[in-house]
Amino acid sequence: MGKYLLEVCVDSVESALQAQKGGADRLELCGDLVIGGVTPSMALYERVREKVSLPIHVLLRPRWGDFLYSEEEFGILVRQTDMYQRAGADGLVIGCLTPEGRLDRERMGRLMETSGGRPVTLHRAFDMCADLEQALDDAKQLGIAAILTSGGSGSALEGKEMLKRLKGRAGTVDIMAGAKISAEAIVRLRQETPVTSFHMSGKRAAVSRMRYRNPRVHMGLPGLSEYEVWQTDAETVRRAREALDGRIAKNGSLD
């Protein structure tokens, strides 16, 4: 692995294989990426582990939505943390907040203790904090290894000024840029920020192979089609890899 890190978020074996083919350095494995990602099944983790040689960091999130968890939800999160550290995950990706929008240091501390020494990434719950610099300081004291962040904005490019501030304050915590990361975004972020780690999904909609379709029944969230499957695209990842390796110029052409 060189100076720059490319992590690809996947929620299927097919996407994991595409990410590896495209040149990812590491996977973040989750379930149901289309709703922001939740904890993956152990069966999925084991199959991805069999199929790819990349390090796997596992997202631990008991449900979609906010990051303020009930006692029962937090209990599940503790169990998931223990389960995946015992399974040999290369890293764990977690985050808990207080009602006031601060990092929940007590609960995060409990999860860190349960992690078995695995490196822990604080996911984009960080971007939902009221004060990102205070959250970074809390993360440093907890021993968090990395923070996935858009700088508190809708995309990493929009949050680039905050990313620069966070990177300057981070010390040994790796600031990993995420949200709308593409080859073009990487080119700009490499030039305009000191960030060296990037997180993307590189996904595209694959058309379902179903021939019979019932237009009267809708099974999922409004606006989501049962007849599209979102998967990582190896070519999109490859372009990002080329951008990280300095092979794509600012105008988008290969150097």
Side-chain angles (χ1 to χ4, degrees), residues 19-183:
Q20 179 167 265
K21 182 179 178 181
D25 295 305
R26 186 171 78 202
L27 302 179
E28 181 191 272
L29 182 65
C30 68
D32 297 329
L33 184 55
V34 72
I35 57 170
V38 293
T39 304
S41 71
M42 183 58 71
L44 174 60
Y45 168 79
E46 290 172 345
R47 190 61 172 166
V48 170
R49 180 65 85 186
E50 291 171 3
K51 288 288 189 174
V52 303
S53 58
L54 298 176
I56 302 172
H57 286 203
V58 178
L59 175 70
L60 302 177
R61 188 181 179 200
R63 58 159 172 79
W64 77 298
D66 66 30
F67 304 102
L68 177 63
Y69 297 121
S70 69
E71 286 296 328
E72 290 296 335
E73 289 168 339
F74 180 67
I76 291 170
L77 191 50
V78 171
R79 290 190 180 197
Q80 290 174 338
T81 302
D82 182 61
M83 178 174 70
Y84 275 106
Q85 69 90 7
R86 290 178 183 275
D90 298 290
L92 304 172
V93 185
I94 57 180
C96 298
L97 302 185
T98 69
E100 294 74 31
R102 291 194 60 166
L103 201 60
D104 191 327
R105 292 184 52 171
E106 181 178 351
R107 285 183 164 184
M108 288 294 295
R110 171 82 182 280
L111 296 172
M112 295 291 292
E113 291 172 1
T114 309
S115 71
R118 306 284 177 187
V120 171
T121 296
L122 171 58
H123 57 50
R124 290 191 64 211
F126 176 82
D127 286 324
M128 307 305 286
C129 289
D131 185 331
L132 298 190
E133 290 174 288
Q134 178 62 59
L136 171 57
D137 291 345
D138 289 340
K140 289 166 66 174
Q141 292 180 26
L142 284 163
I144 296 290
I147 297 174
L148 173 61
T149 175
S150 63
S153 296
S155 72
L157 275 175
E158 293 170 349
K160 67 181 181 179
E161 293 304 318
M162 177 55 77
L163 288 174
K164 288 194 287 186
R165 288 168 58 185
L166 293 170
K167 185 69 174 176
R169 190 184 184 105
T172 60
V173 178
D174 185 27
I175 299 299
M176 181 163 46
K180 300 183 182 178
I181 294 296
S182 63

Side-chain angles (χ1 to χ4, degrees), residues 4-8 23-26 186 198 200 237 240-241 244:
Y4 291 96
L5 172 77
L6 180 61
E7 177 181 88
V8 178
D25 295 305
R26 186 171 78 202
I186 288 172
F198 298 85
M200 70 183 304
V237 176
R241 177 82 268 163
L244 278 184

